[in-house]
Amino acid sequence: MPHIPSRPRRALVAVGGSLALVIGSTPGAAPVLPHHLLRAAAATDGACAPAEHEGLSVGMPTSPGYTPTTGTITALTVFIDFPDAEARGSTQERFAEFFPATSDYFRTSSYGLLDYRAEPVHRWLRMSQPFEAYGIDRGAGWHPDDPQGYNRLIEEIVAALGAEVDHSAYDLVNVLATPNAGPPATEKVLSVSFPGRPLAETPTGTLANVSFIWSRQPGESPHRVLVHENGHAFGLPDLYWTGQDDAPLLAGHWDVMEQDWGPTNDFLAWHKWKLGWLTGAEVVCVPAGSGPAEYTLLPVADPGSGVKLLALRTGPSEAIAVEVRTPAALDSVVCRPGVLVSRVDAAVPTGRGPVRVEDATPGSAGCQTLPDPQVTAELTDAPFVPGETFTDEAAGVRVEVLDAQPDGSHRVRVTRW
């Protein structure tokens, strides 16, 4: 297999010295960046999580403009090829690379709360120009006045569909390009999403929340590139590093918004809360000054009712999230079951580490060494196990792992001062 880059990259552009997804702008103007991609998810309960930051709503569930995250959603799924890259297979074959796997993933991760239905238009939509003419590259954004790029692709897709599609009937759009258009994903990752704002007006409704999938991902569950991109349509940020300097340890393989290559992985509990999949008594807010208290945490993958997330607000934009991760259908490579502790900062931009997992075994090589550089091995043994304690003196937080039960639940003592 060709060398896989050390970090997958989505389409990025330089913005003020950093990198961020471009959602839309006019040529020469500053990019328009929706706040749900710029900010980590935060709750509206002040005891639980960071308050709104800089006047930007980061409440849950996702605000209007993004795709709903519970109930039934419908994804228009179309297929494109190019004069110089004609499709080599059928649209049915391309569709089968992602479905029903993507729908099953969301059903499992959401505990059945999200019914994701893809409706394909089974014909290749031939674009008017060779692939290279559109200027699609890592860093290519959507600009509404651009005569080329994604704007032209979107216009041509809408024109090719014509009256065949009622755009008002769909919650999001997936554009699956023929895999032979552009470089392979092992050389350059082009897949990208443009969520949170309208992209084109059609006679039957607004086109919005569009994800473009290029090439093919390697690994055992390559459909997760679509899970990741649709995660943006749901309002989630990128958790991988987009800076020019060396990437620090962030969330690793504990969330598909950082690593969507290799073996399957689930969302962090914080993101499940953001998406409305953890609700009510499944989330406990632990306020400062509450002293010691014991909690029994169910594994995040457990579909039963019970506490699955402890949320500890620690500052104006910061929180600590505590959850339990165990081997499961979407977490098959968990090699050290235990209590995962994450730091969330709603003020940190996408791609700059809005969520960082605390490593219970700093300096170790990890417990899972897979032949896939996309899995951050150092963080595979990040969970805290019985007898271990996470302490943040400055934040006034201590989390002691007391014991683990055969069903995967863990008892913890949380002290706040």
Side-chain angles (χ1 to χ4, degrees):
M1 177 181 293
H3 173 68
I4 300 174
S6 61
R7 288 287 186 271
R9 294 290 191 263
R10 299 291 172 266
L12 305 165
V13 295
V15 181
S18 64
L19 295 173
L21 279 163
V22 171
I23 304 306
S25 65
T26 55
V32 178
L33 301 166
H35 59 262
H36 278 84
L37 290 187
L38 285 177
R39 312 293 169 183
T44 55
D45 186 332
C48 277
E52 295 183 2
H53 182 72
E54 296 176 356
L56 299 177
S57 171
V58 284
M60 293 185 283
T62 301
S63 64
Y66 294 86
T67 303
T69 56
T70 58
T72 299
I73 67 165
T74 307
L76 172 64
T77 305
V78 299
F79 309 85
I80 62 173
D81 69 356
F82 300 84
D84 64 330
E86 297 184 11
R88 297 170 182 170
S90 69
T91 58
Q92 287 80 4
E93 291 170 328
R94 184 64 163 154
F95 186 73
E97 294 178 25
F98 301 95
F99 296 100
T102 297
S103 299
D104 292 343
Y105 181 104
F106 283 124
R107 183 180 301 107
T108 299
S109 188
S110 71
Y111 318 106
L113 293 176
L114 178 60
D115 179 12
Y116 183 112
R117 302 183 183 183
E119 292 194 1
V121 176
H122 273 307
R123 62 186 179 91
W124 289 105
L125 307 180
R126 178 66 51 80
M127 300 294 98
S128 67
Q129 304 178 115
F131 169 79
E132 295 291 342
Y134 293 90
I136 303 303
D137 199 355
R138 187 171 77 97
W142 173 74
H143 307 277
D145 298 322
D146 191 347
Q148 291 292 340
Y150 279 106
N151 189 49
R152 179 159 184 169
L153 280 178
I154 290 171
E155 290 178 349
E156 291 189 5
I157 289 168
V158 170
L161 292 172
E164 183 178 355
V165 168
D166 177 2
H167 292 281
S168 67
Y170 300 98
D171 299 290
L172 72 159
V173 181
N174 296 321
V175 179
L176 307 183
T178 180
N180 54 304
T186 51
E187 296 178 5
K188 184 182 294 184
V189 176
L190 300 181
S191 296
V192 66
S193 293
F194 303 107
R197 61 170 298 170
L199 302 178
E201 295 298 332
T202 78
T204 58
T206 301
L207 197 71
N209 293 317
V210 180
S211 296
F212 283 83
I213 304 298
W214 303 93
S215 187
R216 287 191 177 100
Q217 299 278 75
E220 66 181 48
S221 52
H223 66 276
R224 286 179 306 117
V225 63
L226 186 57
V227 172
H228 174 105
E229 296 304 339
N230 284 173
H232 291 313
F234 296 154
L236 298 183
D238 279 318
L239 298 188
Y240 59 83
W241 188 251
T242 60
Q244 297 299 317
D245 48 338
D246 291 339
L249 293 177
L250 298 174
H253 211 65
W254 296 105
D255 195 290
V256 72
M257 298 311 293
E258 175 164 356
Q259 295 178 347
D260 59 13
W261 291 33
T264 186
N265 54 349
D266 205 349
F267 288 102
L268 287 162
W270 186 268
H271 277 168
K272 288 175 183 268
W273 188 26
K274 153 74 176 175
L275 297 172
W277 301 344
L278 292 180
T279 59
E282 293 176 311
V283 180
V284 172
C285 306
V286 185
S290 58
E294 293 187 6
Y295 305 90
T296 297
L297 287 171
L298 292 182
V300 167
D302 192 325
S305 60
V307 179
K308 296 174 185 171
L309 173 64
L310 301 179
L312 296 68
R313 181 176 177 177
T314 57
S317 66
E318 301 88 21
I320 290 174
V322 181
E323 66 190 276
V324 169
R325 298 291 281 269
T326 58
L330 299 183
D331 268 335
S332 60
V333 296
V334 172
C335 51
R336 181 179 161 98
V339 176
L340 194 69
V341 178
S342 305
R343 294 182 185 272
V344 181
D345 191 338
V348 173
T350 181
R352 302 298 292 187
V355 181
R356 301 192 180 207
V357 166
E358 285 290 320
D359 191 354
T361 59
S364 80
C367 56
Q368 185 63 263
T369 54
L370 299 168
D372 188 339
Q374 294 308 311
V375 176
T376 304
E378 302 97 313
L379 287 179
T380 56
D381 57 358
F384 292 78
V385 299
E388 295 182 341
T389 299
F390 164 78
T391 302
D392 184 334
E393 292 286 349
V397 172
R398 179 178 299 113
V399 180
E400 304 167 75
V401 183
L402 304 178
D403 60 45
Q405 299 301 316
D407 65 356
S409 62
H410 283 60
R411 189 164 56 94
V412 301
R413 180 185 296 117
V414 177
T415 304
R416 299 214 61 186
W417 59 90

